[in-house]
Amino acid sequence: MRKTILAFVITFSVLFVVSAESKSWKSVATEMQAIIDDAYNIYVSGNADAGYERVNDAYFGHYEVDGFERNTQSRIGGSRAGNVEVQFSRIKSAMRSAKSNEEVRKECDTLISMLFEDAEKLDPPKMSWNELAKVLENEFSEAASMYSDGKVVTAEPKFRKAYARYYGKSKFQENVAKSLGNERDAQIVNLYNKTKSMILEKESKPEVAASIIELSDVISKTAVDLTKKQGRAQWWATVVASLLILLREGFEAILIVGAIIAYLRKSGNENNLGSVYKGSVIGILASIVMALILIGLTKFGFESGQGQEVVEGITMFIAVAVLFYTSNWMISKASSKAWSNYLQGKIQTSVDKRSMFSLAFTCFLAVFREGAEVILFYQAMFSGSDTNGTVSAVILGMIIAVVLLVFVYKAIIITGKKLPLKPFFYATSILMFVMVVSFVGGGISEFVDAAWITPKLIDGVPTISLLGIYPYAESLIAQGIAIVVILGSLCVGKILSGKKEK
């Protein structure tokens, strides 16, 4: 049950650590635009190095520190954030390569455009759908009054422009079709066309007024339905995302710790369970401390966001080593016999020597390896949640995950060694190998962002941050080496296991 403690401690740690500030991302984008324009002017004046450093000021001082990157990753997508980071690199590369003023200006304008596009998506809408519907209702009412006063020439443009501005150009129509279906949109469009024709054909004032009122009522009802549906969809999507984070990261720790507990109980060594619990609790505490250190270094330990990139890059390469070792370990223990022998050997040695260290350290590693990452995942997820009302969804997802993990824990305890681990080990080890390759590319990218590496950009290579793929020659070469090492380790492991079986 100590895993339950892990989840709840992590929950409250994140709630205390994360403070979601309400800010205008457009204003942050405007600040970055001014700095980027200044960097360009400095470059044009002949000081490429100073221009390069000024671009870094925009990246580290605002894109990183102000949380623009983190919110882009969590609310728009990791690949989009990766593309923006690459565009920063393109500007710096152009300056370092002494490109023409026109080429540097083009790269700067591309970045500025990307920043404002993302800011528009990150900032909450200026008006809700219900508010838009109310404005539209007022505009329609004025058009109806004009028509009733005999001002047909002004009534039709008023009616038409109000519809286009507040239903079409505001993305109201696009969202209605996407969330409520084309039939609802067609109902509104047909009623609008009918009303407009009635105005142009100068039909009776009561009939036109009734048609305008009907259209207003349909749009108002549609705004209510759209708000409810989109709110529910966003809320539940957040619940699922939150659930999967803890469920995915916690399952491996539960598997190892639960299997050790099951074996101890089945073998009559329950007096040694204390060491398992102690190792798990220490792993929880160490995870929290590590996450706090990383967050603290990022937010407070450096004058700019450069420290965040360095810490993340180093952390990724530490994770590469851990994942590579763990994935090889899982492959070697994939068979039920190998797993049983491993557990029996580790546990029996500890029991025979009356040493609690081995058990505690095994459980500590199982929990610690996942705990800090879980906290950092949720730290990013809570960022900005207050502004879109999804804090409760994140917490509910965590609670559901805890309940599911408790059931997994109970299942492991009950079934013991009968749990079909082989398919899980193979699938998990393959996923870990993929993560190794991804983290290698991501780590190099972090060092590029931190200005530790000046990259050689390769045109035509897409940015796929999920797989750690970036258009940098350095990261692609490193990933190629990682793949060769992984394949080599698998071949060696296969040969060694074959010799042992003989």
Side-chain angles (χ1 to χ4, degrees):
M1 299 298 292
R2 291 298 192 267
K3 190 64 181 182
T4 305
I5 298 175
L6 166 64
F8 283 114
V9 170
I10 287 175
T11 302
F12 290 113
S13 298
V14 174
L15 287 172
F16 279 112
V17 168
V18 179
S19 58
E21 297 181 9
S22 177
K23 61 175 70 178
S24 167
W25 296 113
K26 185 176 180 180
S27 66
V28 178
T30 301
E31 291 173 358
M32 284 190 279
Q33 178 185 21
I35 296 173
I36 293 166
D37 287 339
D38 187 39
Y40 171 74
N41 292 330
I42 293 172
Y43 178 80
V44 171
S45 70
N47 195 338
D49 289 338
Y52 179 97
E53 292 301 327
R54 194 64 176 138
V55 175
N56 278 338
D57 290 340
Y59 182 81
F60 297 129
H62 292 280
Y63 195 66
E64 285 281 354
V65 169
D66 289 341
F68 206 117
E69 178 196 25
R70 184 166 293 177
N71 277 271
T72 300
Q73 287 176 327
S74 61
R75 295 169 57 191
I76 299 177
S79 292
R80 177 60 175 188
N83 285 328
V84 173
E85 290 174 342
V86 169
Q87 191 58 37
F88 270 105
S89 295
R90 289 188 181 280
I91 295 176
K92 292 189 288 186
S93 177
M95 289 182 173
R96 279 285 170 87
S97 303
K99 297 290 185 181
S100 68
N101 294 344
E102 290 75 14
E103 289 178 283
V104 174
R105 182 70 257 178
K106 180 180 178 181
E107 298 292 358
C108 289
D109 290 341
T110 299
L111 175 60
I112 291 170
S113 176
M114 294 172 75
L115 292 172
F116 276 99
E117 285 177 12
D118 292 349
E120 183 178 353
K121 294 177 182 177
L122 293 174
D123 280 330
K126 295 180 181 179
M127 286 192 289
S128 67
W129 302 129
N130 291 327
E131 290 171 335
L132 276 172
K134 185 63 178 177
V135 171
L136 192 52
E137 180 183 356
N138 294 334
E139 293 287 313
F140 282 171
S141 178
E142 290 182 17
S145 297
M146 290 178 183
Y147 188 82
S148 297
D149 293 339
K151 301 175 182 177
V152 179
V153 176
T154 56
E156 190 278 330
K158 178 74 173 179
F159 176 76
R160 172 169 45 81
K161 290 179 180 179
Y163 173 87
R165 179 180 180 185
Y166 295 107
Y167 185 69
K169 294 181 180 179
S170 66
K171 296 188 177 180
F172 199 163
Q173 183 175 21
E174 176 185 333
N175 279 270
V176 168
K178 185 185 299 182
S179 298
L180 301 179
N182 292 324
E183 291 183 4
R184 177 69 69 91
D185 175 51
Q187 178 188 5
I188 294 174
V189 172
N190 291 337
L191 188 54
Y192 162 74
N193 289 330
K194 170 191 168 185
T195 305
K196 186 174 72 170
S197 296
M198 292 173 67
I199 294 174
L200 292 174
E201 293 172 6
K202 301 180 181 180
E203 295 193 12
S204 69
K205 295 176 181 179
E207 289 180 347
V208 171
S211 186
I212 291 176
I213 291 173
E214 182 183 0
L215 178 59
S216 293
D217 290 344
V218 170
I219 291 177
S220 296
K221 182 179 182 302
T222 298
V224 172
D225 294 342
L226 182 59
T227 301
K228 288 181 179 179
K229 184 161 186 179
Q230 288 189 338
R232 285 195 301 267
Q234 180 187 15
W235 199 86
W236 281 110
T238 304
V239 170
V240 172
S242 176
L243 182 156
L244 290 177
I245 288 174
L246 186 54
L247 195 63
R248 181 183 64 243
E249 302 299 327
F251 185 76
E252 184 184 339
I254 277 284
L255 179 65
I256 295 173
V257 175
I260 291 175
I261 292 173
Y263 184 90
L264 283 173
R265 287 182 173 176
K266 193 169 185 178
S267 62
N269 288 302
E270 293 187 2
N271 60 312
N272 290 298
L273 287 175
S275 62
V276 174
Y277 297 142
K278 287 178 183 178
S280 300
V281 171
I282 293 173
I284 293 170
L285 297 176
S287 297
I288 295 171
V289 171
M290 177 59 69
L292 290 173
I293 289 173
L294 291 174
I295 295 170
L297 286 173
T298 297
K299 289 187 175 181
F300 311 112
F302 297 85
E303 293 182 359
S304 74
Q306 187 170 10
Q308 176 179 333
E309 303 289 0
V310 173
V311 170
E312 289 179 356
I314 294 173
T315 302
M316 276 192 170
F317 278 103
I318 293 174
V320 165
V322 174
L323 287 171
F324 183 77
Y325 170 80
T326 305
S327 54
N328 274 290
W329 174 82
M330 284 195 165
I331 285 288
S332 67
K333 302 294 180 285
S335 69
S336 298
K337 182 178 180 181
W339 169 253
S340 179
N341 291 338
Y342 169 78
L343 278 182
Q344 188 169 2
K346 294 284 282 186
I347 294 172
Q348 198 60 48
T349 299
S350 298
V351 172
D352 290 344
K353 294 180 179 180
R354 302 295 180 183
S355 171
M356 298 301 103
F357 178 77
S358 180
L359 281 175
F361 190 64
T362 302
C363 295
F364 167 81
L365 289 177
V367 174
F368 177 70
R369 187 170 62 245
E370 308 297 340
E373 189 173 9
V374 168
I375 296 174
L376 293 175
F377 267 124
Y378 280 115
Q379 194 272 343
M381 198 165 194
F382 271 101
S383 180
S385 291
D386 283 338
T387 58
N388 54 33
T390 56
V391 169
S392 59
V394 176
I395 295 174
L396 178 60
M398 297 174 79
I399 293 173
I400 295 173
V402 169
V403 173
L404 292 175
L405 288 174
V406 169
F407 276 109
V408 172
Y409 170 82
K410 290 295 185 182
I412 295 172
I413 296 300
I414 293 172
T415 59
K417 292 185 290 183
K418 295 181 180 179
L419 189 70
L421 298 170
K422 185 175 181 179
F424 168 77
F425 274 7
Y426 274 123
T428 304
S429 60
I430 291 171
L431 175 62
M432 286 184 174
F433 280 135
V434 173
M435 290 172 65
V436 165
V437 177
S438 174
F439 280 13
V440 167
I444 296 294
S445 173
E446 297 293 350
F447 291 147
V448 168
D449 296 335
W452 277 23
I453 296 175
T454 301
K456 178 177 176 56
L457 292 164
I458 300 179
D459 293 330
V461 175
T463 299
I464 308 175
S465 58
L466 183 64
L467 299 177
I469 297 175
Y470 296 89
Y472 306 138
E474 293 79 3
S475 64
L476 294 173
I477 291 172
Q479 287 179 310
I481 294 173
I483 292 172
V484 171
V485 172
I486 289 170
L487 294 177
S489 69
L490 290 175
C491 291
V492 171
K494 186 70 174 175
I495 294 171
L496 292 177
S497 63
K499 289 181 178 180
K500 287 181 180 180
E501 290 178 1
K502 293 180 180 180

